[in-house]
Amino acid sequence: MWLYFSFLAMGSRAIYGVMTKSVVSKSNLSQFGGGFFVSAFGAIFAIFITIISGDFTVVFSWSLLLVIVAQGVGNILYFMAMKDLTSSSAQIIFSSILLFNTSLGMLFYGLSLTPINYVGVILLMAALALVLNKKIEGTYVAVSIMLLAALSFAVFQLASGPVSKESSLGVYIFISYFGGMLAPALYKTKLIYADVRLVFNQFKELRIPAYTAIFSTANFYFIYFAYKLAPQATKVAMIATGQVVFAVLLSYFFFKEKDHLLVKVIASILVVIAASLIRI
């Protein structure tokens, strides 16, 4: 059963990644408004999950606050970067979250790496170097913003450990989306207000954010049960990381991103191999 959930998590995450490009490129919402409405729908879905489960368990802590802040900041940065990056490159660059997770683990948890782990780190850096080549993705400002987004989400994952254990699944997902909704509302209040007015006049603008939120929420749900049921967490991680290859291929079919396709496929495969080595 864990294998089933792992592949569903991989597929839903890949589709979510590609859909976020649609949010910023195929709707009239600003990138901040797009992120706001995706999180708003996610929060609504989380409320339904919580009501259905009947479990409202939550423990207020500094980790909880960090989850909200890190998710919020990451959400802003992610959608800012997606505006100027190709969908496929964005997903590969975002894989740098593995490097940040490893670095934070070494810094705060005394994580030590084995030689094979270092091989994984080198392969991941090689994958990123392939895509960061100016001929492939020359928007260095957007690349830098996506790297910062990955760092913020790495902090989010670090803080999620205790929060996910202290809160029910529905509450944890709601808290995550609440941060993603609150941050852009505070950072770009006037712009979010303008997007809300736009939505009231053109309700169809909510379709893409709503569909995106469905896959995002599904990913939370599938990955939660995959980790819960799997005999080893590393097995889930190896399968779930495969989403980057799937995302690159989806970007080719949905956005006709034909340029440097072979290089991007190679880079995405390197990411998967690197992730498996880092997590051994």
Side-chain angles (χ1 to χ4, degrees), residues 109-156:
Y109 291 101
L111 176 68
S112 58
L113 300 183
T114 65
I116 198 167
N117 295 147
Y118 280 111
V119 172
V121 170
I122 293 171
L123 285 178
L124 182 55
M125 293 178 69
L128 293 173
L130 283 175
V131 177
L132 295 181
N133 185 313
K134 190 174 181 180
K135 294 181 180 179
I136 297 179
E137 200 61 69
T139 316
Y140 284 145
V141 173
V143 168
S144 299
I145 293 174
M146 183 58 81
L147 290 172
L148 289 174
L151 173 59
S152 185
F153 279 111
V155 174
F156 163 77

Side-chain angles (χ1 to χ4, degrees), residues 30-40 43 65-80 152-153 156 174-193:
S30 67
Q31 64 265 48
F32 302 102
F36 171 83
F37 282 111
V38 169
S39 295
L65 179 62
L66 188 57
V67 162
I68 294 173
V69 173
Q71 173 76 5
V73 173
N75 192 55
I76 289 175
L77 294 171
Y78 180 86
F79 279 93
M80 284 177 63
S152 185
F153 279 111
F156 163 77
F174 174 80
I175 291 169
S176 301
Y177 283 123
F178 178 74
M181 181 174 60
L182 180 64
L186 295 176
Y187 179 59
K188 292 288 185 179
T189 305
K190 292 183 179 180
L191 196 55
I192 297 301
Y193 177 71

